[in-house]
Amino acid sequence: MKEILQDLSLEELGALVLSLGEKKFRASQLWRGLMQGKKISDITDLPKAFKAKLLERFEDEPLKIAETLTSSDGTEKYLFELADGNIVEGVFMRYKYGNTQCVSTQVGCRMSCAFCASGLNGLIRNLTAGEILCQILAINARHGGTLEKRAVTNVVLMGSGEPLDNYDNVVKFLKNVSAEGGICISPRNISLSTCGIVPKMYELADEGIPVNLTVSLHNADDEERARVMPVAKAYKIADILKACDYYFQKTGRRYIFEYSLIEGENADREHAERLAALLKGRPCHVNLIRLNEVKERALSGAGEKEAYRFLGVLERAGLSATLRRRTGADIGGACGQLRASRLKGE
Ligand code: SAH
């Protein structure tokens, strides 16, 4: 595989341009063109000879949209093909306040959560910073967005992969996606979701990129949590909460817990009460979602009534909580579902 130009910051592009014997201002032209989602060969204001030099070393199109599915609720799901033939998926969701793009950070995942389709075949490889960025650039361009008027206004790192298990590439991506003069999406409009890799949560807090931190909790009890999330054997909930406190202290950002309601596992009144007791008084928000059923996994989502009862317990305890709609359920909206069926040739 060739190198990926979208991995570079504007500063690094500057050094590259000079090393190739071009004038410095070419870096800004190049950066702008790439940020508009263009292939190198399609950036018209660059000299042909310079583009030819770049193409010897760099991928012209590190990622392309291989398939698009549109849900009855307007949600769009994409399969992206990478230069080495691997595929990852992304989701584009329309909300009143803007459009959210959900991006993948790894091909596959090694966390093996029992309800998730992303880890069915383990981790294949990490995505580079540029491959994560290109998912946004491609979708922004597809929806007629420009750098001045973006079609993608919010980003969530909730596609396949565990972002904090690909830390350096993810941090580089966060810097480039929020950099001035590029697509410039503010860290405040970006949410990073983790299964709770405690040491990396501290590192992220110290990084100075105040993204919204989201933790996939799914249970208030360590042992029960470990039944569906193997990573819970390594990191205890008490330590996750300490890392969240530190994150809040450093960034001033309230943090969020994801809690997927699984029938017979974590969704009854007792579990709601335990969660409420655990989180009471914290500067946090709880996002409930009824599990999206994954064919390959023997777990079902809680019923709607049970989900509302769970929400009621949290609200009465004074917690800020919402029950999310299951957007795109008819198009395999949950993590890894679409890729899993593509790999099996369905
Ligand atoms: N690895 C990261 C981000 C990816 S998953 C993390 O663990 O947070 C984004 C969210 O979707 C996580 O909260 C994850 O637990 C949840 N999820 C995965 N599969 C799901 C499913 N089938 N139904 C509902 N939520 C699911």
Side-chain angles (χ1 to χ4, degrees), residues 42 71 123 127 206 230:
D42 287 343
S71 164
L123 176 68
L127 295 189
D206 288 332

Side-chain angles (χ1 to χ4, degrees), residues 35-36 137 139-152 183:
M35 287 287 175
Q36 287 166 335
L137 304 181
I139 298 311
N140 188 53
R142 185 189 182 87
H143 288 279
T146 59
L147 299 186
E148 288 71 33
K149 196 167 187 324
R150 293 177 297 259
V152 175
I183 186 146

Side-chain angles (χ1 to χ4, degrees), residues 102-103 105-106 109 111 113-118 157-164 192-196 214-218 225 229 231 257-262 287 289-294 297 299 301 324 326 333-337:
C102 172
V103 299
T105 53
Q106 296 178 315
C109 183
M111 298 300 141
C113 297
F115 44 78
C116 180
S118 298
L157 279 67
M158 292 191 186
S160 68
E162 166 49 47
L164 298 187
L192 183 151
S193 182
T194 177
C195 58
T214 299
V215 179
S216 300
L217 200 56
H218 308 323
R225 187 168 182 259
M229 298 181 74
V231 68
F257 293 105
E258 294 286 328
Y259 196 105
S260 300
L261 295 161
I262 310 170
N287 257 331
I289 188 165
R290 287 157 58 209
L291 190 80
N292 267 305
E293 271 139 52
V294 175
R297 307 291 205 189
L299 296 168
R324 276 198 293 166
R326 291 202 279 191
C335 311
Q337 284 184 348

Side-chain angles (χ1 to χ4, degrees), residues 13-117:
L13 281 183
L16 172 78
V17 161
L18 293 178
S19 77
L20 293 175
E22 294 287 332
K23 298 239 164 58
K24 184 109 194 250
F25 75 94
R26 295 290 182 203
S28 318
Q29 287 179 318
L30 191 52
W31 169 257
R32 214 182 139 73
L34 295 174
M35 287 287 175
Q36 287 166 335
K38 291 184 177 161
K39 294 196 231 178
I40 299 171
S41 55
D42 287 343
I43 305 177
T44 45
D45 50 2
L46 295 174
K48 279 212 174 74
F50 174 44
K51 286 197 277 188
K53 251 189 271 171
L54 287 173
L55 288 169
E56 281 169 20
R57 208 172 124 188
F58 296 99
E59 289 294 345
D60 196 20
E61 195 176 25
L63 168 145
K64 47 178 168 265
I65 300 174
E67 204 175 319
T68 308
L69 290 176
T70 306
S71 164
S72 51
D73 61 23
T75 299
E76 286 174 15
K77 182 123 195 186
Y78 298 95
L79 277 184
F80 297 110
E81 188 177 338
L82 306 168
D84 64 358
N86 269 308
I87 47 177
V88 291
E89 50 192 73
V91 187
F92 180 78
M93 293 158 284
R94 297 161 209 269
Y95 294 104
K96 275 186 226 103
Y97 55 80
N99 298 323
T100 298
Q101 170 77 20
C102 172
V103 299
S104 292
T105 53
Q106 296 178 315
V107 184
C109 183
R110 58 188 185 123
M111 298 300 141
S112 309
C113 297
F115 44 78
C116 180

